[in-house]
Structure formats: structure tokens, C-alpha cells
Amino acid sequence: MAAFIAKQMVGNQLKSVKAATGGDKDEESKEDGDGGEDPEIEEARREAEEKRKEKHRKMEEERETMRQSIRDKYGIKKKQEEEELLKQQMDSAGRVGRKKKTPAELAAEANAGEEEDDEDEFAMPKNLDEFKSKVQDIPQKLTQTVGEVSEKCSLQ
């Protein structure tokens, strides 16, 4: 632990000295490396990404044909949920998470939430009598427990 703290203290001072003398050029070039990339390299990366996506799409098509042949062979029906999920994934264009709600859906939820709040605000709990009896028993239990403790303990 002490070594860690010492390293942190000395390391921070060393960085400030490097920055003041201009010897910290390596870190600056690493930070600016993405912005000044050669257009040819960017194009090559984009093409590689497209090839990778196409490869994965073809592999998925092959898998789906294999799945379908297995379904046909054993008489298994394809679940509709899977088809809907695939359609949603295609529609969302790579979006992670659920689809966005429409303004009508948001308004309906807000109205339903307000109605529930109004009902909950004035509604009494169904087991209110049970709570009352428990609250009334607390002082009795407290005095009983204090009595038991004082019997077990004796001051000398």
C-alpha cells in the first residue's frame, strides 16, 4: 500500500516535470493519432468492416438454411418470435435495446400513472388493523425486554 502511494506521488510529479520540459510528446501524439489518420487507411478499415459484415451475413444465412433443414427433417415448427426479433433487429439498424415509444404510448402511460397516483393517494392499506396492533404491542415488548435484561444483569 505504501509503495502504491509513493508511486502515485512521485509519478504525478514526474509527469508535471515532463510536461513542463516538453518531453511528453509521445503521449500527445498517441492522443491525436485517430484524428490525423491517412485517408487510405480509413478507406481500408471501412472496406474491411464491410467485408466482415458481409461474411457474417453469409454465415448467418448458411446457419439459417441448416436450421431450416433440421426443422424440416424433424417436423419442428419455427417460432414466430424469432422471425419478429430478426425483423426488429433489421429495422433498428444495429440499435441496442428496446424500440423507442411513440408519443401516444408515452401519453397513455403518463395518464395511467396519474390515475394510479390519485387512487393510491387516498387508499388506506388493506392490513391497517394489523399494523395498528403491532404498533400498540411495541411498548409492551420493550418493557418486557428491558425487564428481562435487568434481571440477567446485576450491577456490582
Side-chain angles (χ1 to χ4, degrees):
M1 183 70 172
F4 173 75
I5 294 171
K7 183 177 178 182
Q8 290 294 320
M9 291 172 55
V10 173
N12 290 338
Q13 292 174 356
L14 184 61
K15 286 181 184 177
S16 64
V17 169
K18 281 184 178 179
T21 61
D24 203 17
K25 294 178 183 175
D26 293 337
E27 290 183 12
E28 292 174 7
S29 64
K30 290 178 186 175
E31 292 173 1
D32 296 336
D34 293 335
E37 212 170 75
D38 192 20
E40 293 175 359
I41 295 174
E42 288 178 8
E43 179 67 22
R45 283 188 181 166
R46 188 183 58 77
E47 288 176 7
E49 182 70 19
E50 288 175 1
K51 287 179 183 178
R52 186 186 64 81
K53 286 182 180 180
E54 182 65 21
K55 176 184 168 186
H56 286 289
R57 188 188 60 77
K58 287 180 182 178
M59 287 173 38
E60 187 58 34
E61 286 178 0
E62 291 173 2
R63 289 183 187 132
E64 186 57 35
T65 56
M66 185 175 287
R67 288 184 199 118
Q68 189 59 43
S69 67
I70 291 171
R71 282 189 212 107
D72 293 341
K73 182 178 179 181
Y74 295 105
I76 301 170
K77 294 182 181 178
K78 184 176 182 180
K79 295 181 181 178
Q80 295 297 328
E81 297 171 3
E82 292 177 10
E83 291 177 5
E84 292 173 6
L85 181 64
L86 289 174
K87 288 179 183 177
Q88 287 177 355
Q89 287 177 351
M90 294 302 218
D91 292 341
S92 65
R95 182 184 317 154
V96 177
R98 63 178 176 79
K99 67 174 191 135
K100 291 184 178 179
K101 294 183 179 180
T102 62
E105 291 174 338
L106 292 172
E109 282 184 7
N111 291 337
E114 288 175 5
E115 291 173 3
E116 290 176 6
D117 290 343
D118 293 341
E119 293 172 3
D120 292 340
E121 188 174 319
F122 298 109
M124 298 297 265
K126 295 177 182 175
N127 54 357
L128 185 62
D129 294 330
E130 183 181 332
F131 289 135
K132 285 182 180 178
S133 64
K134 287 182 179 181
V135 169
Q136 291 173 352
D137 291 343
I138 290 175
Q140 295 169 356
K141 289 181 180 179
L142 182 63
T143 56
Q144 181 183 3
T145 306
V146 169
E148 290 175 2
V149 170
S150 62
E151 288 175 6
K152 291 180 181 178
C153 298
S154 61
L155 295 175
Q156 295 179 358

